[in-house]
Amino acid sequence: MPVFAPPALLFFCNAILVISLFTRMPTIQEGLGVDKAMLGLGILGSPLGTIIALPIAGRIADRLTPRFAAPLMLSIAACFPPLLSILPYAGFFICFVLFGFFRAIHDVAANMISTGIERQTGLKILARSHGFWSIGLLVGSLVSGFLAERGVSPFVHQTGAMAAVIGICVLVWRLLPADVGIVQETQRRSVFVLPDRIILLICIMIFGVCVCEGAIYDWGIFYLREVIRVDAQTAGILFAVFTIGMGLTRMVGDKLRGMTGPSTLVRGSAISVAVGILVLLIAHEPIAAGLAFFLIGCGVALGFPLAVATTVERGRGNVSDNLAALAMTLLIANFGVPPALGFIAEHSSLKMSFAVLLPFVALSFIMAPVAKGQLPLFLRRAVSRSHGDNAGAAPNSPQGGVRE
């Protein structure tokens, strides 16, 4: 079995859980009897749970070992989507908090496994591992559209997904070597992990790309159903086009990382997302919407893998703490996005919800030099005026730069 199969299966299962839940959200919303603004506030439980978990996620992953922590935490998280589909609003919110909590620890452990395999084997597998998240989204969205069209209840759907994920997690635990992803501690660690300047700059760099990915997950199905006016099965197929674009890009992402500079990849990602959003805003037919979803999928594909790779390469201290700090900062930055987009959709339009994302995509384009250890030009000039002409140089040079 290929060396990247276990982490690939973890990312695949994680995606199955997420997409199985969010593609059935319109039906769940009807059962809850709430509007989009209230639904957005309920969904906010997931990032809240993540923020609670991430300050201690690295320590938990190290204590349990990534091999045990990743499948265990994902198996626990899999138990909450069936409950989310049948509980009243208060229970919906609480389950989303717990869902986000356990998935956050899993995400840190899974990325430790992927980067650990890269260190141990010398093979680049990080983008491909994340590519199986996209494959999971594709499979899950197609299955969700099929089940929704045939009237299968969200509870039965989520229960089936839970059983499949737990079974695969047991297989992953048996396949992984005991020492995978374990890094010897080189310095004393604080109880709670906080981001340093390097992590903050990386998060700013990919924020625009990541927030667009989240917008598609949270509101993409609603956009297809209410703006493009397609049925549930067609919406599932069009959502699958988004995951195809993401998956194809991630499958060649490791090769692109070796051929092209990381800052170029960030800029290309931002351009693809921006063009995709513009096409989506003017789309009236399913084909045009599908093209837009494909371009957005291609654009968001390498955002988080590039952030992880940059964090591992340029971060200081423990890998698990750096990855947890990265995820925590991104989640805090995205904390208000689901309810904000829901509020805009409820009081303006879904089109406006996606239009407001374009300035954030432009920010990712501008901050692209951070991926290669440099500050963008306008920040370099500002720092140079304050601290001298060498500020903003590459982080591995004696002048400092992003690494400090």
Side-chain angles (χ1 to χ4, degrees), residues 64-220:
L64 295 177
T65 73
R67 175 205 179 216
F68 188 65
L72 175 64
M73 296 299 144
L74 190 61
S75 296
I76 296 173
C79 298
F80 295 105
L83 298 176
L84 281 162
S85 65
I86 60 173
L87 290 175
Y89 188 78
F92 175 88
F93 179 80
I94 292 170
C95 283
F96 247 124
V97 172
L98 295 172
F99 184 65
F101 181 90
F102 290 104
R103 278 189 66 241
I105 302 172
H106 161 266
D107 287 345
V108 171
N111 279 294
M112 289 174 67
I113 290 171
S114 293
T115 55
I117 291 174
E118 285 195 343
R119 287 194 305 270
Q120 292 171 0
T121 66
L123 299 174
K124 289 188 179 297
I125 68 160
L126 184 60
R128 274 181 292 172
S129 296
H130 282 264
F132 277 83
W133 162 274
S134 306
I135 293 175
L137 293 181
L138 172 60
V139 172
S141 61
L142 291 175
V143 171
S144 292
F146 177 83
L147 295 177
E149 190 67 20
R150 281 152 184 77
V152 177
S153 72
F155 177 76
V156 173
H157 182 179
Q158 308 311 315
T159 302
M162 175 190 71
V165 167
I166 292 175
I168 294 174
C169 283
V170 172
L171 174 63
V172 167
W173 174 71
R174 293 178 63 88
L175 290 174
L176 282 170
D179 63 343
V180 66
I182 295 177
V183 179
Q184 296 298 322
E185 296 186 13
T186 58
Q187 60 186 46
R188 189 172 182 178
R189 303 168 67 174
S190 60
V191 176
F192 295 101
V193 58
L194 294 174
D196 58 16
R197 189 177 73 166
I198 303 169
I199 302 300
L200 291 174
L201 286 169
I202 294 170
C203 289
I204 294 171
M205 176 186 72
I206 65 162
F207 175 74
V209 171
C210 289
V211 75
C212 291
E213 182 180 357
I216 292 292
Y217 294 147
D218 293 344
W219 302 109

Side-chain angles (χ1 to χ4, degrees), residues 322-346:
N322 287 334
L323 291 175
L326 172 72
M328 180 180 68
T329 308
L330 279 175
L331 258 295
I332 292 174
N334 281 278
F335 192 75
V337 171
L341 295 182
F343 182 85
I344 293 171
E346 192 66 31

Side-chain angles (χ1 to χ4, degrees), residues 240-256:
V241 174
F242 165 77
T243 65
I244 290 171
M246 183 188 291
L248 290 176
T249 305
R250 282 180 169 173
M251 286 304 177
V252 299
D254 292 314
K255 187 171 294 185
L256 291 175

Side-chain angles (χ1 to χ4, degrees), residues 12 14 32 56 75 78-79 118 159 183 222 230 237 245 257 263 272 299 301 329 336 368-369 376 383 386 388:
F12 177 85
N14 195 357
L32 290 171
I56 57 173
S75 296
C79 298
E118 285 195 343
T159 302
V183 179
F222 288 94
V230 299
I237 293 171
R257 287 170 59 200
S263 60
S272 182
T329 308
V383 173
S386 300

